[in-house]
Amino acid sequence: MPDASRSAGLLRRDSQPALAYARWTGRGPTLVWLGGLRSDMTGTKAEALDALASREGFGFLRFDYRGHGTSEGRFEDGTITLWTEDAREAIAALAPEGPVILAGSSMGAWIALGLVGPLRTEGRNPAVALLLLAPAPDFTTRLVEPNLTDTQRRELEETGRFVEPSPYGEGMVYTRELIEDGRAAAVMTGPIDLGGVPVRIIQGMEDREVPPSHALDLAALLPSENVTMTLVPGGDHRLSEPEDLQRMEQAVLDLLKEVAALA
């Protein structure tokens, strides 16, 4: 059996909301799951990776940002900067000292890209590879703001928020703080320096929330020597069909193997 152990609980912090987490402590780099906006760590892809970590024996960490899932805090108080800080602190506290592979879905890809520099500077948990699924960096400035209706703009101005219907359940709340912070936290403003780490992007061709053109724009800003994009015919934003999960799992195993060969 793989030499790994599992734990789960709440990461309590002095002045910030506690974060719910689950992890496998295993061999090699720790795979860190970074979920999307309003998603939680019990989603289909996160559960599939948890099972993969159990079978293969590698380290795996998943958690809920503040205001998500069973973590403390209100969703409407969150911003990209705060959720990125949640991720940085979760990695520092819950990942064994050593490298990490960041797997970001949708908004989680934005957070992954924003973490590479700080993790490299801190040195304790450098990111050695990225897996980006339906990546949505800068979605507030590139996908939300340009499509705001006059009514939504007025609601933002007058009330500081608006609610957009969602195909996945309750409406999505966008706040003035999230929109303004998104401009400050933007990463697609020029070439993105990732220090040469391998990057794998998986993008559905039928994604209605984050169009394939957005992933192509992102890829154009990344160093080209070790970036691979897989476009999935018929794939939607969730990428949670059995064949999507198999594709994601294989990408993780390939990255683990590549990172081990470079070590």
Side-chain angles (χ1 to χ4, degrees), residues 1-7 22-27 31 46-62 249 252-253 256:
M1 295 291 291
D3 182 16
S5 61
R6 190 178 190 279
S7 60
R23 64 174 174 169
W24 284 99
T25 302
R27 56 175 169 75
L31 179 69
E47 292 282 5
L49 291 177
D50 186 87
L52 182 67
S54 174
R55 294 195 303 271
E56 298 291 332
F58 60 81
F60 179 58
L61 169 65
R62 53 179 169 154
E249 292 170 8
V252 168
L253 296 175
L256 286 166

Side-chain angles (χ1 to χ4, degrees), residues 185-236:
V187 294
M188 294 178 65
T189 55
I192 302 173
D193 177 16
L194 298 178
V197 304
V199 181
R200 302 293 176 262
I201 301 172
I202 302 177
Q203 172 68 44
M205 291 294 286
E206 300 301 323
D207 190 333
R208 305 301 183 191
E209 282 69 53
V210 182
S213 59
H214 190 74
L216 292 169
D217 289 343
L218 170 63
L221 296 174
L222 298 174
S224 59
E225 62 267 17
N226 203 351
V227 177
T228 300
M229 176 181 288
T230 300
L231 297 174
V232 182
D236 62 11

